[in-house]
Structures are given as structure tokens and as C-alpha cells.
Amino acid sequence: MGLSEPFGGRIFKGTVQQSPGLLQGIRSTLTIGAEFAFRVGRDLRGDEHDFSGDSIVAVIDAVYPALELNRPDFTKPMEMGGLCLIADNGVNVGLVLGAPIADWQHVDLARQAVSFAVNDTVKSNGMATDIGFDPIAAVAWLANDRARRGEPLRGGQLVSSGDLILNVEANVNDRVVADFGKFGMVLLNLQDDG
């Protein structure tokens, strides 16, 4: 996408819901990612900007399997490039959380298998290591980046990891299910206004 590093967008409190999620008034195709959401356990300081995957674990107090909902304002967002996606708030329009993961500190989240289905047809499956992705390292990157920018992460904020596997597209009246195995399923129903 023409970027030299990852990027983040805001997740607004009013767009976070528990599974089973419901999104109404769908007018265009959504791109949905299966991710982990991490809740920050305390306010971080501006001088804390050297987190690693190991050290960020100490400031996370909960982890959830999640769906990140993305609706770009561009017809072909990937062709627009990374800067346009950043300007569009990372194209985020919501987050659906599953049940919190017990004892998550002792689980290799990057190796958790995920199966992703739309209307009972599996569209994507695998694990983050298949694409060389580490969700814990992604949270550490964001914590460091926000601190360097003078806006350190705050207690209670949610950080979504980024796609663990290939995302899926969904439209009005679709039912999306991400199966995180022993961590449970996260569901979303898309409906029109009627």
C-alpha cells in the first residue's frame, strides 16, 4: 500500500458491541477482519515507548476474539493506497467482541486457528503465523507509536490487532461467523433498514 510501517485508526466507543452483533442500514459491501482485541489495563506514560511483544503483555488486562468492521469511503480502497486509508480512519466502522479469553497470557495467539464463514460458507481459514503476523507485536508497535506522538494509550482502551487471516466481504442480509476454536465464535448479522 506504499507505506513503510503499519498504521492505526480510531475505534469509537459507540461502535463496539458484543457478539452476536447486528449492523443495520448497510448500503455497501463491508470488509470484515477476524482479529484479537486487547484491552489496555492502565494509562501508559509518554516516556514508555520501547515496548516489545513480551513487555506489552504486562499492561493488557483482557483479550477478546473479535470482528473488525471496515467500510471504506472509496470504491476501490486498496488501489487508493495507504495514506488514503489512514485519512479514512483506517476505514473502521465498528468492532464486535466475543467472550474474554481466559488465561490468554499462556496461549500463542499467533497460532490460534480461525475459520471465517459468510452464510455458512467458509471463505477464509488459517492462523496469523501463516502470513507472518504476530498480534502481540502489533499492539506493542501501536503503544510505542502513540507514545512517541504524545498520545499514549489509556486504561480501558481497546486495541484491535489487525487481520489474523484473509478478511471477508459481506453485504446486507449476510451472516458472518468467525470460529476461534477453543476461544469461541464471534457472530455478526447485517440487515437493511426494513
Side-chain angles (χ1 to χ4, degrees):
M1 292 187 291
L3 300 173
S4 61
E5 62 181 354
F7 68 88
R10 306 255 183 212
I11 301 170
F12 296 102
K13 187 176 183 178
T15 66
V16 177
Q17 55 183 306
Q18 297 294 315
S19 177
L22 175 64
L23 196 60
Q24 294 178 298
I26 302 305
R27 300 277 183 256
S28 60
T29 300
L30 291 184
T31 301
I32 302 174
E35 308 189 2
F36 287 114
F38 299 81
R39 189 176 66 204
V40 180
R42 65 168 175 84
D43 289 353
L44 303 186
R45 301 184 315 270
D47 64 348
E48 291 180 289
H49 49 75
D50 58 354
F51 285 107
S52 67
D54 291 334
S55 62
I56 197 66
V57 168
V59 300
I60 302 299
D61 69 357
V63 178
Y64 309 84
L67 297 177
E68 185 193 16
L69 315 181
N70 298 290
R71 182 175 50 220
D73 290 324
F74 308 107
T75 304
K76 296 181 179 179
M78 299 313 277
E79 292 179 16
M80 298 298 294
L83 293 179
C84 289
L85 297 180
I86 291 169
D88 197 19
N89 191 44
V91 300
N92 179 279
V93 294
L95 197 64
V96 180
L97 302 176
I101 298 170
D103 202 30
W104 64 270
Q105 299 91 334
H106 300 102
V107 176
D108 186 351
L109 297 175
R111 294 190 181 281
Q112 175 58 45
V114 181
S115 178
F116 216 171
V118 178
N119 302 325
D120 299 320
T121 300
V122 173
K123 300 287 187 178
S124 178
N125 59 59
M127 59 186 71
T129 54
D130 293 342
I131 57 173
F133 180 66
D134 180 352
I136 298 281
V139 177
W141 175 86
L142 184 67
N144 294 333
D145 181 69
R146 297 316 312 158
R148 287 186 189 109
R149 294 174 186 269
E151 294 181 2
L153 296 177
R154 301 292 179 209
Q157 287 182 326
L158 291 171
V159 176
S160 197
S161 64
D163 295 341
L164 303 171
I165 59 174
L166 187 66
N167 56 41
V168 300
E169 291 188 343
N171 293 286
V172 64
N173 297 323
D174 283 345
R175 180 175 185 266
V176 179
V177 178
D179 186 342
F180 288 78
K182 62 184 177 184
F183 300 149
M185 292 188 287
V186 186
L187 294 82
L188 173 69
N189 292 298
L190 304 175
Q191 293 183 354
D192 60 23
D193 290 326

